[in-house]
Amino acid sequence: MFSSLSISEIYKNTALTFRVKEVLYRERSPYQMIEIVDTYDWGKVLQLDGLMMTSAKDEIFYHETIAHLPVTLKPTIEKALVIGGGDGGTVRELLKYPQIKEIHLAEIDEEVVRACQAHLPELAGGLSDPRVKCFFQDAALFVQDSPAKTYDLIISDSSDPVDFAAVLIEGSFFESVKRILKPDGIFIAQTNSPLAQPEEVKAAWDNLKRVFAYQQIAWSLIPIYPGAFWTFTLASQSEIPLKIHPEYHKPETLFWQAEFSTGLMTVPPFVRQILDS
Ligand code: SPD
């Protein structure tokens, strides 16, 4: 591909490769290989075990959607839990809302947080905010051990559902999430690409449907992920409003606009076919 230094994600029979200016961090933690590199075209990129997690150029499409969509739908959120999300991008967006008083981050790999605080402060800077408390433990155990009816919002900002993260789209995990959500609380998970990973999209949907009374697919475009067309799935025990509240969206954003909610929660027929298959 490139004769000089590069970084790739190979997903099945497709590869995405960026030419690298500089390697900023490259260490193996007890859980995974962590790499942060500065690329020519996408700015700084975080890879975990060879999988693209985020890039400076396109992270807004992911972090703004996963954080602002649920808050725009349910503006009374005071206490939130972020599962995974060690790069800090999702927490950074939640911190833009003054009504959110407390954010817990359950991230298995403390070294991801430390590496991002050192090399991606534009994402991870908010993790040292006094409203944020980090718990470095397995998210599946964290949700199992948390008290019932604790959170207004839970966001699963997980890595791909492989290895230790595979459990994060299973029914048993969703049962624990339901238990620790307040009765009118809302859950949103990143649920992969219907183009590249239709089986994972369907598995998450089916497992959520067995556990929660209401669920709703939303989508965004994340160019550095396999398939680029990416889904997020909302779930709740109370009805998920499809009517947006633009007045609840005040923060400065570069991508997200409250008016997108309706469009991004409109399920394209090719996605509906996967969910109904
Ligand atoms: N294929 C990549 C899926 C990763 C989703 N999570 C990314 C974490 C960004 N905060």
Side-chain angles (χ1 to χ4, degrees):
M1 182 73 59
F2 297 118
S3 52
S4 53
L5 187 58
S6 63
I7 194 165
S8 296
E9 174 172 338
I10 300 170
Y11 188 79
K12 295 184 181 166
N13 302 296
T14 305
L16 178 66
T17 302
F18 302 142
R19 194 189 288 177
V20 167
K21 267 189 217 172
E22 189 185 357
V23 176
L24 302 171
Y25 184 91
R26 186 166 197 276
E27 296 287 339
R28 183 171 291 282
S29 78
Y31 300 100
Q32 56 207 336
M33 174 61 80
I34 305 168
E35 292 168 287
I36 301 175
V37 298
D38 192 11
T39 67
Y40 282 92
D41 294 339
W42 293 82
K44 287 186 262 181
V45 170
L46 168 68
Q47 261 205 339
L48 298 178
D49 271 349
L51 300 173
M52 302 288 180
M53 289 297 123
T54 201
S55 84
K57 194 174 253 184
D58 77 342
E59 59 94 4
I60 52 171
F61 301 102
Y62 179 94
H63 294 122
E64 291 188 5
T65 304
I66 203 170
H68 295 283
L69 174 58
V71 184
T72 311
L73 295 174
K74 185 178 157 44
T76 53
I77 292 162
E78 289 188 2
K79 186 162 177 166
L81 168 65
V82 178
I83 289 161
D87 54 62
T90 299
V91 166
R92 177 197 64 199
E93 294 307 313
L94 292 178
L95 284 169
K96 292 178 178 174
Y97 292 94
Q99 74 267 31
I100 302 184
K101 304 279 184 294
E102 206 178 346
I103 303 169
H104 289 171
L105 181 92
E107 162 64 60
I108 197 169
D109 196 343
E110 182 169 358
E111 288 184 34
V112 170
V113 169
R114 301 298 168 228
C116 293
Q117 284 175 320
H119 299 287
L120 285 171
E122 56 277 45
L123 273 81
L127 294 176
S128 49
D129 187 282
R131 286 188 281 161
V132 180
K133 188 161 181 204
C134 297
F135 298 85
F136 297 114
Q137 50 182 276
D138 184 330
L141 297 178
F142 182 87
V143 296
Q144 202 175 293
D145 295 343
S146 295
K149 301 178 186 167
T150 301
Y151 297 103
D152 302 294
L153 167 66
I154 300 179
I155 297 180
S156 178
D157 179 9
S158 62
S159 46
D160 297 76
V162 290
D163 301 328
F164 57 80
V167 67
L168 302 182
I169 62 165
E170 287 178 5
S172 55
F173 174 73
F174 294 146
E175 286 286 358
S176 298
V177 166
K178 180 173 78 175
R179 190 184 59 78
I180 66 172
L181 263 184
K182 290 186 185 159
D184 62 344
I186 193 159
F187 174 61
I188 183 167
Q190 75 85 8
T191 43
N192 294 80
S193 169
L195 292 174
Q197 301 136 327
E199 298 84 5
E200 283 90 341
V201 175
K202 170 131 176 84
W205 177 258
D206 286 348
N207 290 341
L208 280 167
K209 201 170 173 179
R210 276 190 277 273
V211 172
F212 285 92
Y214 299 93
Q215 60 281 321
Q216 174 65 43
I217 284 265
W219 56 273
S220 189
L221 295 169
I222 326 285
I224 71 161
Y225 289 173
F229 186 101
W230 207 255
T231 64
F232 300 88
T233 307
L234 296 143
S236 182
Q237 287 301 86
S238 43
E239 201 165 348
I240 298 169
L242 296 182
K243 198 164 161 30
I244 57 152
H245 299 283
E247 66 275 22
Y248 299 143
H249 175 78
K250 302 219 172 62
E252 292 277 311
T253 44
L254 291 167
F255 164 65
W256 177 261
Q257 300 298 298
E259 290 77 6
F260 289 177
S261 306
T262 308
L264 298 185
M265 290 193 297
T266 303
V267 185
F270 85 96
V271 177
R272 178 58 61 197
Q273 280 175 4
I274 292 168
L275 303 181
D276 292 346
S277 63

